[in-house]
Amino acid sequence: MVEKKRRPEAEAEASGVEPRTELLNGGGSGGGPRDDEPKKRRKGGGDGSEGGGKSGSIIDNAQSYELATRVGYQVVASPSKIQEMEKPMEPYHEVFLSFRGSDTHRDITDYLYHSLVDAGIRAYRDDEELRVGKDIGPELLQAIKQSKISIPIFSKQYAASKWCLMELVQMVECKEKWGQEIMPIFYDVEPSEVRKQTRTYGEAIQSHVNKQLYTNETIQNWKAALNKVGKLKGWELKERGKGEFTKEIVQKLLIELKKNYLAVTNCLVEMDDQVDQIMEKIGEQTTGTKIVGIYGMGGVGKTTLATILYNKLLADFDNCCFLSNIRETKIVSLQNQLISDVLRKECPSIKSINEGITEIKNRLSSKKVLLLLDDVDQNTQLEALVGTGECWFSRGSKVIITTRDKELLKVVDFQHELTEMDFGHSLQLFSRHAFGRDSPPAEYVSLSQKAVEICGHLPLALEIIGSLLHRNDINKWKNVLKKLETIPNEKVKNKLNISFEALETQEQEIFLDVCCFFVGFNVRIVTYMWDSCEFFPECSLEVLKQRSLIKIAKGNQLWVHDQLRDLGRVIVRERAREKQSRVWDHEEAIDVLETEEGRKNVEAIRLMFNHQFQDSIENGKSILSKLRFLQVDCVDSEETNGQHFPSTN
């Protein structure tokens, strides 16, 4: 019997794909139910009871809560309608293995599958011997569609299996429709045998014809798929050892699957010269370890520049890590992420900074690493992640640091100051967001020039204000600019606040939630709560994206610029004079629980699971009538052990 393995909730959130019960530590297996098997209801792991219950005691909410994503299971079209199916969403599997069980199940397939899992690659292994029915079932079809790379393992009896041939046809269709990759393995056959259907492959096809169970169209589709895939470049085992062979495949796949490229805005202006200048200092022509520091005021484009550099260097590195939002993240969590990303597997959780330093030195000292540290604001962060004397990584490593504080960059090899853009480039950037072109229409030229001056040539302000004015008439422009003129140039956040005030109430609520709690969260997870609160998340998120107030990063993660995040938190604190709706600081949270007024008004709160938290519950101070989100952090590592409980009322 094929074992279904559960995938941790945290990996499901990070992946951007709704959780299912397929994977653990990168692997999954099983063919799934066929058309004539009994249909079983699946849940995505976890022992919680069905969601329900009213908002009330923290403990009640926690006990009755079942993570919303655990009930989500994608509906798949009938196999007969695959031609009408839409393009697959975010890939759930990275590699789909297709093989003839009797030939290779306990041989090369087993070697390869476990090697992929050990390397942190999410692999789907199907067993064609366990199937019944005539068509590919929806689960298997979805697995092929939602894989980045398909690997058919051609063995002598592969073509004798109708299932293998049906899988191959679907792989070819996904390649031709959506560009998915096929990387074949020719195990004990020559590519020409597959391509031309000679020897065992010719015999297998003739056998299918003789059975008269399949239409001529089906047979021709199988032959065409064999011909197309047989022409592709792949791997041939020949006389090589299986250990060496699988190692080569895994290394190639890790390069092909480079999922570490970072998204960059398509409205870039005036970056090429600066990128070239830095690449001369740290690029591929430099063999030694190099650390570059990029500094400048908030909103000037440091993260964008660093991201471009990271992407340019990425092809030369197998070991990469991007640590974002460092200013807001616990050092121990950053150390855990660095080790896991470089080694490509989950590692035992680090409990202290000193333990993390020791682990990084011991486990990463032999690795050539590309590391981006974004928004560093303390020297202790650098000391805990890369060392401030001699870099802990192997020769040839590259480290990129962004910060607002030049003093933190005393030990780097090269410093680069990023200043505000000149007027011409500022107008170009503003125009791209306001009009979707490089220059304003004639009737908007003077107003656009005025807007650029008001924004102080800062990229963030140009993007936000340009997005706010997009598709508005001249009267709206004049009113907004008149309001912006009353705010001094140095008060950038106040200018950005104009865009916040232009939002509808539900859009404001979602923006404030993200700023206080949900940076880095999977947007699908949080959408369940917003939907139940009637914030209309689908429409509201679209407006926030159009206004450049939030972004959806890779893996469906919510992201806001740090200045916008700070702006949102300032707004919440100002509103707290009337009522405190959101509390993200542990100490403040305890104070809120101490007062009846605080307990009555709070809607979202982050608590530390310590004796103060337990005392509050024991003293009956856990009745939070308006609570819709609760995050409880463990004492040892706040960022990695938090539990999130959206309210179910």
Side-chain angles (χ1 to χ4, degrees):
M1 182 175 185
V2 177
E3 180 184 1
K4 287 286 182 186
K5 300 184 179 182
R6 289 181 179 171
R7 182 185 193 205
E9 168 194 316
E11 184 184 344
E13 291 186 12
S15 72
V17 179
E18 300 201 38
R20 295 168 50 164
T21 57
E22 291 286 337
L23 306 173
L24 176 64
N25 294 332
S29 61
R34 296 292 160 187
D35 293 348
D36 56 354
E37 283 186 81
K39 298 292 189 292
K40 297 180 181 179
R41 180 172 178 81
R42 286 176 168 73
K43 292 187 179 181
D47 301 320
S49 58
E50 292 283 3
K54 297 181 179 180
S55 175
S57 164
I58 293 174
I59 292 299
D60 289 342
N61 277 341
Q63 290 178 338
S64 66
Y65 168 71
E66 180 178 17
L67 199 67
T69 53
R70 290 179 178 169
V71 301
Y73 210 81
Q74 284 193 307
V75 177
V76 186
S78 165
S80 63
K81 296 182 180 179
I82 184 169
Q83 298 295 338
E84 303 170 16
M85 294 177 67
E86 295 180 358
K87 181 177 180 179
M89 310 236 347
E90 184 79 16
Y92 182 67
H93 310 290
E94 291 177 304
V95 172
F96 177 89
L97 297 177
S98 173
F99 61 97
R100 183 70 197 269
S102 58
D103 282 355
T104 66
H105 183 269
R106 300 190 183 280
D107 197 280
I108 188 65
T109 299
D110 195 56
Y111 272 93
L112 180 58
Y113 173 75
H114 289 289
S115 296
L116 293 172
V117 173
D118 290 343
I121 295 174
R122 300 193 305 276
Y124 187 99
R125 175 175 59 174
D126 179 60
D127 194 336
E128 52 88 25
E129 290 187 331
L130 298 181
R131 306 182 197 131
V132 295
K134 296 182 179 179
D135 295 315
I136 294 181
E139 182 179 341
L140 182 59
L141 179 61
Q142 195 74 348
I144 297 172
K145 286 184 63 193
Q146 291 192 327
S147 296
K148 294 182 178 180
I149 298 174
S150 290
I151 300 181
I153 302 175
F154 290 123
S155 56
K156 290 187 182 300
Q157 296 303 315
Y158 183 93
S161 167
K162 63 178 182 180
W163 302 114
C164 291
L165 293 172
M166 285 192 282
E167 289 173 2
L168 197 69
V169 170
Q170 300 309 321
M171 293 178 213
V172 170
E173 181 164 335
C174 288
K175 175 180 174 62
E176 292 177 347
K177 276 191 172 184
W178 305 306
Q180 294 178 10
E181 289 192 69
I182 302 175
M183 303 177 73
I185 293 175
F186 301 97
Y187 177 58
D188 53 6
V189 297
E190 294 291 330
S192 61
E193 294 178 47
V194 178
R195 185 170 64 252
K196 298 177 181 178
Q197 293 103 60
T198 59
R199 298 187 179 180
T200 57
Y201 278 70
E203 295 167 4
I205 292 296
Q206 188 59 48
S207 175
H208 292 309
V209 172
N210 294 340
K211 291 176 183 176
Q212 297 184 349
L213 296 174
Y214 314 104
T215 65
N216 183 59
E217 181 183 4
T218 297
I219 297 293
Q220 293 306 314
N221 286 341
W222 290 350
K223 293 176 69 174
L226 288 168
N227 178 263
K228 290 175 181 178
V229 179
K231 292 178 180 178
L232 298 177
K233 183 178 180 180
W235 294 279
E236 296 181 59
L237 177 62
K238 294 187 176 178
E239 303 300 322
R240 302 162 61 188
K242 292 168 188 173
E244 174 195 356
F245 184 64
T246 54
K247 182 177 180 180
E248 177 189 321
I249 294 173
V250 170
Q251 289 300 317
K252 174 67 174 176
L253 288 172
L254 286 171
I255 295 172
E256 290 293 326
L257 288 167
K258 275 287 195 197
K259 52 180 178 276
N260 300 299
Y261 283 100
L262 306 176
V264 181
T265 176
N266 58 2
C267 293
L268 289 175
V269 172
E270 199 199 18
M271 282 289 180
D272 290 346
D273 291 344
Q274 302 192 67
V275 169
D276 292 342
Q277 185 180 350
I278 297 174
M279 287 296 289
E280 286 181 9
K281 304 288 185 180
I282 67 168
E284 58 185 17
Q285 72 279 5
T286 59
T287 57
T289 297
K290 295 291 182 181
I291 303 178
V292 59
I294 302 170
Y295 67 96
M297 65 182 296
V300 79
K302 299 183 298 295
T303 300
T304 300
L305 176 58
T307 299
I308 296 171
L309 292 168
Y310 182 91
N311 286 342
K312 277 188 168 291
L313 293 165
L314 195 55
D316 297 323
F317 289 84
D318 291 330
N319 309 301
C320 313
C321 179
F322 172 38
L323 297 178
S324 63
N325 198 27
I326 287 180
R327 183 155 57 103
E328 287 284 309
T329 309
K330 296 293 181 182
I331 291 177
V332 168
S333 297
L334 296 167
Q335 292 174 320
N336 271 309
Q337 183 183 338
L338 173 58
I339 295 171
S340 296
D341 284 1
V342 170
L343 298 181
R344 299 189 193 87
K345 61 183 179 180
E346 291 298 318
C347 301
S349 183
I350 292 167
K351 300 298 190 297
S352 70
I353 293 175
N354 286 336
E355 180 189 348
I357 290 173
T358 301
E359 283 293 296
I360 292 171
K361 286 181 176 179
N362 290 341
R363 306 189 70 176
L364 306 188
S365 60
S366 62
K367 304 287 186 181
K368 189 178 83 164
V369 175
L370 174 62
L371 174 62
L372 197 166
L373 305 176
D374 189 42
D375 198 19
V376 172
D377 69 338
Q378 297 177 30
N379 199 54
T380 52
Q381 296 159 344
L382 297 177
E383 292 173 348
L385 295 169
V386 296
T388 53
E390 183 177 351
C391 183
W392 299 330
F393 310 126
S394 179
R395 178 177 174 81
S397 295
K398 303 290 190 291
V399 180
I400 306 168
I401 301 167
T402 72
T403 181
R404 300 180 189 181
D405 187 357
K406 182 181 178 181
E407 289 298 306
L408 298 176
L409 303 178
K410 291 180 177 178
V411 296
V412 305
D413 298 299
F414 176 67
Q415 297 181 7
H416 182 86
E417 181 180 10
L418 197 56
T419 58
E420 65 181 31
M421 293 190 294
D422 61 37
F423 182 84
H425 286 107
S426 297
L427 181 60
Q428 184 182 2
L429 178 61
F430 176 82
S431 298
R432 287 185 179 179
H433 289 285
F435 307 109
R437 47 189 277 184
D438 285 346
S439 59
E443 64 272 25
Y444 282 90
V445 170
S446 60
L447 288 173
S448 298
Q449 292 172 339
K450 187 176 183 180
V452 169
E453 292 297 346
I454 290 173
C455 291
H457 302 194
L458 269 182
L460 177 63
L462 292 166
E463 178 180 352
I464 299 299
I465 302 304
S467 299
L468 172 63
L469 294 171
H470 182 61
R471 292 182 179 173
N472 281 296
D473 59 32
I474 287 180
N475 288 331
K476 172 73 172 179
W477 275 60
K478 289 179 178 178
N479 290 333
V480 170
L481 295 180
K482 184 176 181 181
K483 195 170 185 179
L484 287 169
E485 277 186 304
T486 65
I487 303 170
N489 275 341
E490 62 271 13
K491 295 188 177 180
V492 178
K493 287 190 176 68
N494 290 357
K495 292 183 177 180
L496 301 179
N497 191 41
I498 300 293
S499 191
F500 173 80
E501 292 173 350
L503 298 172
E504 298 292 338
T505 301
Q506 67 271 15
E507 296 158 2
Q508 291 183 350
E509 294 297 323
I510 288 180
F511 175 72
L512 296 179
D513 277 355
V514 175
C515 292
C516 295
F517 299 103
F518 300 133
V519 174
F521 271 59
N522 186 324
V523 66
R524 296 185 188 180
I525 304 298
V526 195
T527 295
Y528 289 100
M529 176 187 67
W530 288 330
D531 192 46
S532 68
C533 296
E534 297 186 350
F535 289 166
F536 309 106
E538 187 173 342
C539 296
S540 298
L541 287 168
E542 190 60 34
V543 171
L544 292 172
K545 287 191 292 182
Q546 289 172 357
R547 301 279 177 87
S548 295
L549 292 172
I550 69 166
K551 288 182 171 63
I552 308 297
K554 187 166 185 178
N556 272 339
Q557 291 185 337
L558 288 161
W559 183 87
V560 297
H561 192 280
D562 51 9
Q563 285 215 37
L564 292 172
R565 180 199 61 216
D566 294 345
L567 167 66
R569 293 183 175 185
V570 167
I571 292 170
V572 170
R573 291 188 187 279
E574 289 175 349
R575 290 183 174 184
R577 296 167 189 165
E578 300 177 9
K579 67 171 187 175
Q580 183 85 355
S581 63
R582 298 166 179 83
V583 189
W584 60 92
D585 180 83
H586 294 136
E587 297 300 324
E588 287 185 28
I590 293 299
D591 293 339
V592 166
L593 293 180
E594 291 296 321
T595 67
E596 183 178 349
E597 186 72 15
R599 295 194 296 271
K600 183 175 71 174
N601 291 323
V602 72
E603 299 174 17
I605 192 168
R606 182 183 179 194
L607 293 162
M608 176 74 78
F609 192 81
N610 54 20
H611 68 277
Q612 291 176 301
F613 171 72
Q614 297 176 60
D615 290 344
S616 296
I617 294 173
E618 292 172 2
N619 294 333
K621 297 176 179 178
S622 60
I623 307 300
L624 307 177
S625 58
K626 294 184 179 179
L627 188 69
R628 56 186 173 83
F629 176 78
L630 166 66
Q631 177 174 333
V632 179
D633 294 325
C634 299
V635 177
D636 59 339
S637 178
E638 300 172 22
E639 299 294 332
T640 56
N641 292 302
Q643 298 295 318
H644 314 106
F645 301 102
S647 174
T648 55
N649 69 329

